[in-house]
Amino acid sequence: MLGMICVRACSALVGFRAPTCVRSLHSFPGITVAQIDEEVAKLLELKAQLGDDGKTQFVLKTPKGTRDYNPKQMAIREKVFNTIIRCFKRHGAETIDTPVFELKETLTGKYGEDSKLIYDLKDQGGELLSLRYDLTVPFARYLAMNKITNIKRYHIAKVYRRDNPAMTRGRYREFYQCDFDIAGQYDAMIPDAECLKIVHEILNELDLGDFRIKVNDRRILDGMFAVCGVPDDKFRTICSTVDKLDKMSWEDVKKEMVNEKGLSEEAADQIGEYVSMQGGMDLAERLLQDHKMSQSKQACAGLSDIKLLFKYLQLFHVTDKVVFDLSLARGLDYYTGVIYEAVLTQAGTVSAANEAQNDTNADESVSVGSVAGGGRYDGLVGMFDPKGRRVPCVGVSIGIERIFSIMEQKAEASPQKVRTTEVQIMVASAQKNLLEERLQLISELWNAGIKAELMYKKNPKLLSQLQYCEEAGIPLVAILGEQELKDGVVKLRVVATREEVDISRADLISEIKRRTEA
Amino acid sequence: MLGMICVRACSALVGFRAPTCVRSLHSFPGITVAQIDEEVAKLLELKAQLGDDGKTQFVLKTPKGTRDYNPKQMAIREKVFNTIIRCFKRHGAETIDTPVFELKETLTGKYGEDSKLIYDLKDQGGELLSLRYDLTVPFARYLAMNKITNIKRYHIAKVYRRDNPAMTRGRYREFYQCDFDIAGQYDAMIPDAECLKIVHEILNELDLGDFRIKVNDRRILDGMFAVCGVPDDKFRTICSTVDKLDKMSWEDVKKEMVNEKGLSEEAADQIGEYVSMQGGMDLAERLLQDHKMSQSKQACAGLSDIKLLFKYLQLFHVTDKVVFDLSLARGLDYYTGVIYEAVLTQAGTVSAANEAQNDTNADESVSVGSVAGGGRYDGLVGMFDPKGRRVPCVGVSIGIERIFSIMEQKAEASPQKVRTTEVQIMVASAQKNLLEERLQLISELWNAGIKAELMYKKNPKLLSQLQYCEEAGIPLVAILGEQELKDGVVKLRVVATREEVDISRADLISEIKRRTEA
């Protein structure tokens, strides 16, 4: 058995299935030490899973980087989704859905360096397919395919990234994105401001502690690169390096720019000055006067829009949380204008305790505490349109996995138990041989819309029925006994207080509804 | 361009990528005429997609067998899901979620002949993965992995089947399943009866017309095969043939049994007699007395359980829709006891008109009109448990795609428009230069939980704002003008009646809530 698994690990390594295990190094031209280390680790992990006896037939697990959600996690997830969906609906969004996989070519050329993280499906004869990497590219494909020029939609669904960092760093390979986007040719910054208002509303309502929303503009970044002397063909790669400022010191970022990306020290230093700037509308005004920055038309357009954005955000009363931050870059290629990212500022304790499973983002830029991000992408739909017709878009993605983790932690810390069902009443019996009577009663309750359970036993003990209610948090019990059946009543028991009253069968449903109204 | 695509089609055909197009037949040993026809059809389809000029850069479509859901379809889908989830919750079910892909070996050996329809992921170095084929096997894996012996859960998610029949027959490759399952060692037929009660409730509530729920038992089928003289090793394959009785005549089924599967004519005729039987509890009683059937212990156990099931269903008042039907077989290998399937009996008109996109089932047995199915599978969890511990399970899967189609058709036929948002009010202006006032007002409304929209223009025309409301079905408009701002009021307009009243800003929110309460 170990041999077979070993062969698989080898074949995964070299890309084909061989009938033997590790052969000489000559069989693996181009293999690196790191690759060997990785494969050895995999084999050892497999060995550990096999246990001492080596008898286990197969590995009982979910694929690497994925997880199941148990009922308690689902109850929390439902609560978070409801808050987010309520907000999206409040802002008049429709919703759409797209397939979990797209034609491979639909995703090609949209994600820059991250394209290597795309999951491909096996070529089983037919189209070449890939799992979606985000919801934005499928959205753009949907708009172009259906020739839609105006829509405000949300889309909540799972996306897939074959990210290397293991579960220990908490980066999932399958995770949810909650996207809200506005497509259409509109007056500047009005939809953009609404996206930020939405982030503000959701983070407030979820009650995750204080937060900041950083904003910047790709045109300001590009203009800044231009006036600092970055060659045109290095804009994107230098932008990727700037994007690491939330995880790396400026010194390290500078080193990467100069040593790895070949930027001049002088240019790097000039960038360093700008990316340390943070402020509000005042900073945008100051930079519009800046002798260097003002030389770039692009930067000026971006700065004017930032000013306008802040004006609208003031009317929404949300500027207390918004910072214009020149170090914000964001990884994806497709942004063309305003970009933003929300970070939790009080999440230190939570994220420290929860580091192991916590810093996944439902979004491409990973920084500890980041819970939402987005921006304007006016060129993406045109990439799909045969005639290149542009549909300007702006949107935001809520990084739900991190929010789940925080909510889960909160639930753990709270004395209140998370209920995983909404059952209002248990139909129980005090004596033997009353299964038929229980079935008849519960059927009446279900038909009246009451959420009810019974134990699937002919003769359950009353005590075990009551204990089940306490464990599951069911508030009421309808107890049937011979006397009650004779009298045409049901004994209604309140689990919390142990109070019991006889209720006539005719009044039972209204009495249950009265007592369980939220 | 055509050449490249041609290469891809060829490589799909022969399983590797070759740098040339169609070569001599010697290069493709074992290729059949049908395969060649299929590939030619694929190439011609690609050619058609390229159009006359051959200039299109790529094909703008969703993968074969999949589709997007537009907002209108989503609104209908949400309604159907809500009805189903409400029912599952009424019966006290928790919910779980599992990854969209599983280790390939988790799915191996669970689906019999259908295994060829499983989507595999490309081996990109790492684990071998497959997209889930149903929700039952992942559920069993989840139970074994977490050592859960008791749970009542629902799971609504997409599953994937690389089914060959094209879109013209309406079989989707990505489709939803809505599963409800009860796992645990309980007294006979109580959970099984609840599953049927659930199907009854959901189909009633969705108001899809009349329906029948056929029930049978794998043990009765196996016992029947034994007493009719089917050799043990042919049970499963003969069972698959019986399963085709909803699509094929008895004559054709018999032919397949005798000619293809090598059954004796005599055995086939005996089976033919049994599988034409339909009835209720009485039929079960009659068969328990049947001189042949009563020789099989297995069949007797199944028949006794069918009797018990009908007794419980009588208490639930659902026997009017339930038929004990000996021709029901169901395709999957893992069933061990009771099996059932619900069919719409009045769906003739709908399904005839809708044939092209309609007969997909969220479940493996495809018969025109089938909308739910399930059964007992007591052995599946044990296949995953290292010690083979059994967890008896029974469950039902609602075939949601077909239900969507019917609901969509109904919506099309209805004069009432399907709303795709829940917006209560549009914030509009009657004059120019009131964008800031509109932004301020809508922000107040959002903060008060009102669902509100505005047009993303500085100076939209009043008429276009009102027209938008009519199209989108928004019931109210808050109109701001200079006079209204001076007076501290908002002009509230009812879109349907064109009635307008001035409302003070202080009363606006309560007035909107009052007027839009459902």
Side-chain angles (χ1 to χ4, degrees):
Chain A
M1 184 65 202
L2 180 59
M4 206 192 87
I5 289 178
C6 183
V7 168
R8 169 175 309 169
C10 292
S11 65
L13 175 66
V14 296
F16 67 90
R17 299 186 152 273
T20 57
C21 199
V22 181
R23 288 170 297 183
S24 79
L25 257 181
H26 301 290
S27 316
F28 306 108
I31 191 167
T32 68
V33 170
Q35 280 173 315
I36 293 173
D37 285 348
E38 200 182 326
E39 293 306 315
V40 168
K42 273 185 207 162
L43 286 168
L44 290 177
E45 195 191 336
L46 282 169
K47 194 176 152 195
Q49 283 161 350
L50 279 174
D52 289 331
D53 53 3
K55 269 183 202 152
T56 313
Q57 298 233 321
F58 52 70
V59 185
L60 202 57
K61 67 185 282 290
T62 61
K64 182 177 175 189
T66 69
R67 60 171 164 174
D68 297 317
Y69 282 83
N70 65 32
K72 213 162 136 185
Q73 291 166 325
M74 287 298 279
I76 293 165
R77 183 173 122 177
E78 194 177 313
K79 224 177 106 188
V80 175
F81 278 161
N82 284 344
T83 301
I84 291 171
I85 291 172
R86 219 183 306 124
C87 177
F88 290 164
K89 286 191 172 178
R90 196 159 58 231
H91 287 261
E94 306 176 300
T95 187
I96 68 162
D97 196 17
T98 65
V100 81
F101 42 64
E102 295 277 344
L103 297 186
K104 187 175 165 58
E105 61 188 357
T106 298
L107 307 189
T108 302
K110 310 299 186 303
Y111 301 106
E113 290 173 15
D114 289 344
S115 295
K116 63 180 183 298
L117 303 181
I118 293 172
Y119 275 98
D120 291 330
L121 268 75
K122 191 165 143 187
D123 184 352
Q124 291 169 293
E127 299 161 332
L128 294 178
L129 306 175
S130 301
L131 297 187
R132 63 184 163 210
Y133 183 84
D134 65 6
L135 302 177
T136 310
V137 168
F139 175 55
R141 191 266 306 148
Y142 173 81
L143 296 184
M145 185 171 138
N146 296 286
K147 298 192 173 47
I148 294 166
T149 54
N150 291 284
I151 192 170
K152 179 161 56 181
R153 81 89 183 80
Y154 71 89
H155 189 185
I156 297 184
K158 288 175 177 176
V159 302
Y160 299 87
R161 298 185 185 178
R162 238 166 39 81
D163 235 334
N164 239 339
M167 301 288 281
T168 47
R169 278 210 61 226
R171 199 185 293 226
Y172 290 105
R173 291 179 158 200
E174 174 188 59
F175 57 94
Y176 268 98
Q177 286 200 327
C178 301
D179 280 21
F180 172 99
D181 293 81
I182 300 170
Q185 185 67 59
Y186 300 118
D187 283 330
M189 292 299 113
I190 312 177
D192 314 59
E194 184 169 2
C195 288
L196 295 181
K197 170 79 170 116
I198 281 173
V199 174
H200 195 272
E201 284 179 24
I202 288 173
L203 294 184
N204 258 332
E205 229 179 301
L206 288 175
D207 197 21
L208 302 167
D210 204 11
F211 59 90
R212 283 286 163 281
I213 307 174
K214 303 185 212 169
V215 302
N216 198 3
D217 192 299
R218 270 287 162 89
R219 292 165 299 172
I220 298 174
L221 282 166
D222 285 352
M224 175 183 86
F225 293 144
V227 301
C228 292
V230 178
D232 283 13
D233 61 342
K234 288 206 167 122
F235 277 21
R236 284 284 80 82
T237 184
I238 293 299
C239 194
S240 294
T241 308
V242 168
D243 191 43
K244 296 178 183 166
L245 270 171
D246 51 358
K247 284 162 291 186
M248 279 161 57
S249 68
W250 165 248
E251 284 67 36
D252 290 338
V253 166
K254 185 181 160 184
K255 233 181 260 169
E256 182 174 314
M257 286 178 177
V258 175
N259 299 346
E260 288 177 37
K261 313 238 161 143
L263 196 65
S264 74
E265 187 129 355
E266 196 198 346
D269 284 337
Q270 286 184 43
I271 291 173
E273 258 174 61
Y274 283 118
V275 296
S276 66
M277 293 178 183
Q278 290 196 348
M281 199 193 270
D282 53 312
L283 175 59
E285 259 155 15
R286 198 143 48 82
L287 286 170
L288 273 169
Q289 311 303 326
D290 182 272
H291 74 283
K292 251 198 336 235
M293 205 62 130
S294 59
Q295 290 166 17
S296 160
K297 259 197 189 168
Q298 262 204 305
C300 290
L303 290 164
S304 303
D305 273 350
I306 290 281
K307 271 181 66 184
L308 192 57
L309 179 68
F310 268 91
K311 186 171 134 196
Y312 295 155
L313 294 178
Q314 274 165 6
L315 296 166
F316 288 158
H317 298 285
V318 298
T319 42
D320 58 319
K321 308 285 188 195
V322 183
V323 193
F324 172 33
D325 182 331
L326 274 93
S327 74
L328 178 71
R330 295 187 65 74
L332 291 182
D333 274 6
Y334 52 60
Y335 291 119
T336 56
V338 162
I339 48 178
Y340 34 79
E341 192 168 295
V343 290
L344 298 182
T345 52
Q346 290 185 335
T349 47
V350 174
S351 71
N354 221 11
E355 186 86 8
Q357 42 159 312
N358 209 0
D359 63 11
T360 302
N361 280 286
D363 133 82
E364 65 294 346
S365 160
V366 176
S367 81
V368 177
S370 165
V371 286
R376 180 162 281 284
Y377 49 101
D378 289 349
L380 190 59
V381 179
M383 288 172 74
F384 289 106
D385 190 283
K387 291 182 181 148
R389 274 168 299 217
R390 285 160 64 90
V391 178
C393 294
V394 65
V396 64
S397 183
I398 309 292
I400 199 70
E401 301 299 335
R402 188 177 168 72
I403 293 172
F404 285 154
S405 300
I406 296 169
M407 302 295 274
E408 265 187 82
Q409 265 229 323
K410 270 189 169 185
E412 286 295 329
S414 154
Q416 236 189 331
K417 231 172 145 176
V418 178
R419 281 198 70 185
T420 56
T421 76
E422 298 166 14
V423 174
Q424 296 161 298
I425 192 159
M426 156 79 95
V427 174
S429 54
Q431 285 123 1
K432 285 197 168 186
N433 302 319
L434 293 176
L435 171 62
E436 297 188 17
E437 288 73 12
R438 280 192 292 139
L439 290 176
Q440 219 153 12
L441 176 56
I442 202 167
S443 181
E444 283 169 37
L445 299 183
W446 285 332
N447 291 346
I450 305 281
K451 295 169 192 136
E453 271 194 287
L454 51 68
M455 292 192 88
Y456 300 121
K457 298 216 167 242
K458 275 193 231 165
N459 296 309
K461 284 181 191 143
L462 184 59
L463 192 64
S464 61
Q465 295 172 86
L466 298 179
Q467 272 174 344
Y468 179 82
C469 291
E470 297 218 7
E471 279 159 26
I474 300 172
L476 297 174
V477 194
I479 305 175
L480 288 175
E482 271 157 36
Q483 193 56 48
E484 284 81 12
L485 287 165
K486 248 180 236 158
D487 298 348
V489 299
V490 163
K491 201 177 282 306
L492 195 66
R493 180 184 168 111
V494 179
V495 175
T497 63
R498 303 184 178 187
E499 167 209 354
E500 293 185 350
V501 273
D502 281 354
I503 308 283
S504 81
R505 289 289 280 253
D507 297 337
L508 183 61
I509 285 161
S510 59
E511 185 63 22
I512 296 168
K513 285 188 177 165
R514 195 182 67 72
R515 284 174 181 258
T516 53
E517 253 165 25
Chain B
M1 186 63 199
L2 179 60
M4 207 191 86
I5 289 179
C6 182
V7 168
R8 172 180 305 173
C10 292
S11 65
L13 175 64
V14 295
F16 65 90
R17 301 188 149 270
T20 56
C21 200
V22 181
R23 288 169 298 182
S24 80
L25 258 180
H26 301 291
S27 316
F28 306 109
I31 191 166
T32 68
V33 171
Q35 280 173 315
I36 293 174
D37 285 349
E38 200 184 326
E39 294 306 315
V40 167
K42 272 184 205 159
L43 286 167
L44 291 178
E45 193 192 337
L46 282 168
K47 196 177 151 195
Q49 282 161 352
L50 280 172
D52 289 331
D53 52 3
K55 270 183 198 149
T56 314
Q57 299 231 319
F58 52 70
V59 185
L60 202 56
K61 65 185 285 289
T62 60
K64 182 177 173 189
T66 69
R67 61 173 163 174
D68 298 317
Y69 282 82
N70 66 33
K72 214 163 132 186
Q73 292 166 324
M74 288 298 279
I76 293 167
R77 182 172 120 175
E78 195 177 312
K79 224 178 104 189
V80 176
F81 278 162
N82 283 345
T83 301
I84 292 172
I85 292 172
R86 219 184 307 124
C87 177
F88 290 164
K89 286 191 172 177
R90 196 160 57 232
H91 287 262
E94 306 177 299
T95 187
I96 67 160
D97 196 16
T98 64
V100 81
F101 42 64
E102 295 277 345
L103 298 186
K104 187 174 166 56
E105 62 189 356
T106 298
L107 307 189
T108 301
K110 309 301 186 301
Y111 301 106
E113 290 176 12
D114 288 345
S115 295
K116 63 180 183 299
L117 304 181
I118 294 172
Y119 276 98
D120 292 329
L121 269 75
K122 192 165 141 186
D123 184 353
Q124 291 170 294
E127 298 161 330
L128 294 178
L129 305 174
S130 301
L131 297 187
R132 62 184 163 209
Y133 182 83
D134 66 6
L135 302 177
T136 309
V137 168
F139 175 54
R141 191 267 304 148
Y142 173 81
L143 295 185
M145 185 173 139
N146 296 286
K147 299 192 172 51
I148 294 166
T149 54
N150 290 285
I151 192 171
K152 179 161 55 181
R153 81 90 181 79
Y154 70 90
H155 189 186
I156 297 184
K158 288 175 178 175
V159 301
Y160 299 87
R161 299 184 186 180
R162 239 166 39 80
D163 234 333
N164 240 339
M167 300 288 280
T168 47
R169 280 211 58 227
R171 198 185 293 224
Y172 291 104
R173 290 179 159 200
E174 175 188 56
F175 57 93
Y176 268 99
Q177 287 199 329
C178 301
D179 280 20
F180 173 98
D181 293 82
I182 301 171
Q185 184 68 59
Y186 300 119
D187 282 330
M189 293 298 113
I190 312 176
D192 313 60
E194 185 170 4
C195 288
L196 295 181
K197 171 80 170 111
I198 282 173
V199 174
H200 195 273
E201 284 179 24
I202 288 173
L203 294 183
N204 258 332
E205 229 180 302
L206 289 175
D207 196 21
L208 301 167
D210 203 13
F211 59 90
R212 283 286 162 281
I213 307 173
K214 302 183 212 169
V215 304
N216 197 4
D217 193 298
R218 270 287 163 90
R219 292 165 298 173
I220 299 174
L221 282 166
D222 285 352
M224 176 182 82
F225 292 145
V227 300
C228 291
V230 178
D232 282 14
D233 61 343
K234 288 209 168 118
F235 277 20
R236 283 283 80 81
T237 183
I238 292 298
C239 193
S240 295
T241 307
V242 168
D243 192 42
K244 296 178 184 167
L245 270 171
D246 52 358
K247 284 163 291 184
M248 279 160 59
S249 68
W250 165 248
E251 283 68 37
D252 290 338
V253 165
K254 185 182 162 184
K255 234 180 261 169
E256 184 175 314
M257 285 179 176
V258 175
N259 300 344
E260 288 179 39
K261 312 232 160 147
L263 197 65
S264 72
E265 186 128 352
E266 196 200 345
D269 284 337
Q270 287 186 41
I271 292 172
E273 259 175 62
Y274 283 118
V275 296
S276 65
M277 293 177 181
Q278 290 194 350
M281 200 192 270
D282 53 315
L283 175 59
E285 259 155 16
R286 198 144 49 83
L287 286 170
L288 273 170
Q289 311 303 324
D290 183 273
H291 74 283
K292 252 196 339 232
M293 204 65 128
S294 58
Q295 291 166 17
S296 160
K297 258 196 191 171
Q298 262 204 306
C300 290
L303 289 164
S304 302
D305 273 352
I306 290 281
K307 271 181 66 182
L308 192 58
L309 179 68
F310 268 92
K311 185 171 136 195
Y312 295 155
L313 295 178
Q314 274 166 4
L315 297 166
F316 288 159
H317 296 286
V318 297
T319 42
D320 58 319
K321 308 286 189 196
V322 183
V323 193
F324 172 33
D325 182 331
L326 273 94
S327 75
L328 179 72
R330 297 185 65 74
L332 290 182
D333 275 4
Y334 52 61
Y335 290 119
T336 55
V338 163
I339 49 178
Y340 34 80
E341 192 168 296
V343 290
L344 298 181
T345 51
Q346 290 184 334
T349 48
V350 173
S351 71
N354 219 14
E355 185 85 4
Q357 39 158 316
N358 209 0
D359 64 12
T360 303
N361 280 286
D363 130 82
E364 66 293 347
S365 162
V366 177
S367 81
V368 176
S370 164
V371 288
R376 178 161 282 284
Y377 49 102
D378 289 348
L380 191 58
V381 179
M383 288 173 73
F384 289 107
D385 190 284
K387 291 184 182 149
R389 271 168 301 217
R390 285 160 67 90
V391 179
C393 294
V394 64
V396 63
S397 183
I398 309 292
I400 200 71
E401 302 298 333
R402 187 175 170 73
I403 293 172
F404 285 154
S405 300
I406 297 170
M407 302 296 272
E408 266 186 79
Q409 266 228 324
K410 272 190 168 184
E412 286 297 327
S414 154
Q416 237 190 330
K417 232 171 140 177
V418 177
R419 281 199 71 185
T420 56
T421 75
E422 298 167 13
V423 174
Q424 298 161 295
I425 193 161
M426 154 79 94
V427 175
S429 54
Q431 284 123 4
K432 285 196 168 188
N433 302 320
L434 292 176
L435 172 61
E436 297 188 17
E437 288 73 12
R438 279 192 292 139
L439 289 176
Q440 220 153 11
L441 175 58
I442 201 166
S443 180
E444 283 169 36
L445 298 183
W446 285 331
N447 291 347
I450 305 280
K451 295 169 192 136
E453 271 195 287
L454 51 67
M455 292 192 85
Y456 301 120
K457 299 217 166 241
K458 274 192 228 162
N459 298 308
K461 283 180 192 142
L462 183 57
L463 191 63
S464 61
Q465 296 173 84
L466 297 180
Q467 271 173 346
Y468 179 82
C469 292
E470 298 218 4
E471 279 159 28
I474 301 172
L476 297 173
V477 195
I479 305 175
L480 289 174
E482 271 157 34
Q483 194 55 49
E484 284 80 12
L485 287 166
K486 248 180 236 157
D487 298 347
V489 298
V490 164
K491 201 179 280 306
L492 196 66
R493 179 183 168 111
V494 179
V495 175
T497 62
R498 301 183 180 190
E499 166 208 356
E500 293 186 348
V501 273
D502 283 355
I503 307 285
S504 80
R505 289 290 281 253
D507 297 336
L508 183 62
I509 284 161
S510 58
E511 185 65 20
I512 296 169
K513 285 188 177 166
R514 196 182 64 74
R515 284 173 181 260
T516 54
E517 254 165 23

